Amino acid sequence: MMRWIVRVMLAAIAVIAVCAQLDRASYLKPQLSVVVPKPFRSFAQPTLALIALAGGDTASAEIEARRLVRRRPMPAEHLFTLAMADLRSGRPAAFAATFRAASTRGWRYAPLQVTAAQAALASGDLAGAANRIAALWAENPTHPSSVPLTRQLLAMKGGPEAFAIPLANTHVWSSNFVRRAASLAPPANTVKTVAAARRAGADFDCRALKVLASAYAKRGEQVASSELTCK
């Protein structure tokens, strides 16, 4: 009898180990997520929710997203997934509440910042948009949404001044911005942004400013070039 019990226990442990390994493997191979048993879905759960969202299965997306948040409520990514499931299910109030909760966490999560920046731009919240776009620059300046969102903000009245505030509060990504500024906005708007940031206390990398000034000079933008001297 005891030997039989031991065998059953060993078999159960083996099944648990296999399911756990399968779940872990689904992190690298998302296609495995669908075969992971429900009680063992940790790495697989976010993928299942995203698959349902991408496939337009709003009912399944909501179920999987709520299960995801119940299991791991803290990550911003999980709350964002639930928020998008609420939005796709036609519940804007629920989306807004969940999105607000997600936005207080995990500024490194780019999809959240992109969505928040788009919403802020659409509503005319330039300061909010500037902060979200700045978070993208700080985390991943090569993110595909960084440039178009920045262009949109800097083209708006008051946009350069709004963007200048987070630009002045960091030295980590300001050089990246200056190096790419010539392709982000008309020279006058770039100069306006740099000047406003300087008034707010920004200390730009002198070499980056010289490169930008030289680029404007080659394009015949002498006035803009002269405004970008090192101080």
Side-chain angles (χ1 to χ4, degrees):
M1 181 67 175
M2 181 59 68
R3 187 174 299 174
W4 181 83
I5 293 174
V6 170
R7 288 178 178 173
V8 171
M9 290 179 63
L10 289 175
I13 292 172
V15 169
I16 292 172
V18 168
C19 290
Q21 287 299 319
L22 186 62
D23 177 61
R24 187 174 294 275
S26 71
Y27 181 75
L28 298 175
K29 297 182 178 180
Q31 64 269 26
L32 295 176
S33 300
V34 295
V35 298
V36 179
K38 287 183 181 181
F40 300 95
R41 291 173 181 169
S42 178
F43 293 100
Q45 193 60 49
T47 301
L48 290 170
L50 291 174
I51 288 174
L53 272 175
D57 187 351
T58 55
S60 295
E62 182 187 355
I63 292 171
E64 298 296 352
R66 291 192 183 282
R67 185 177 291 129
L68 174 63
V69 171
R70 281 198 304 271
R71 290 178 176 175
R72 296 182 61 194
M74 292 306 295
E77 295 93 324
H78 299 176
L79 284 171
F80 178 77
T81 301
L82 178 57
M84 295 308 294
D86 285 331
L87 183 63
R88 299 279 180 85
S89 297
R91 289 189 299 276
F95 161 77
T98 308
F99 188 85
R100 279 196 300 270
S103 65
T104 62
R105 314 171 191 176
W107 63 271
R108 294 178 182 275
Y109 187 52
L112 190 152
Q113 300 298 354
V114 170
T115 304
Q118 291 170 337
L121 287 169
S123 66
D125 179 10
L126 300 185
N131 288 331
R132 298 298 183 176
I133 296 170
L136 282 176
W137 278 95
E139 175 58 18
N140 182 11
T142 62
H143 189 280
S145 293
S146 297
V147 168
L149 286 173
T150 305
R151 283 176 179 160
Q152 186 177 350
L153 174 63
L154 296 184
M156 299 174 72
K157 183 179 180 180
E161 292 81 2
F163 193 62
I165 302 304
L167 188 59
N169 290 334
T170 181
H171 192 64
V172 176
W173 57 270
S174 59
S175 293
N176 284 328
F177 167 77
V178 172
R179 290 189 189 99
R180 302 179 69 181
S183 64
L184 293 173
N189 282 12
T190 301
V191 169
K192 190 182 297 184
T193 304
V194 171
R198 278 176 162 168
R199 289 195 298 272
D203 183 17
F204 290 105
D205 179 75
C206 195
R207 184 180 302 175
L209 281 178
K210 286 181 177 178
V211 170
L212 179 60
S214 177
Y216 282 148
K218 290 178 181 178
R219 287 162 45 176
E221 301 285 351
Q222 300 298 336
V223 174
S225 177
S226 65
E227 292 290 334
L228 295 171
T229 56
C230 292
K231 296 179 180 181

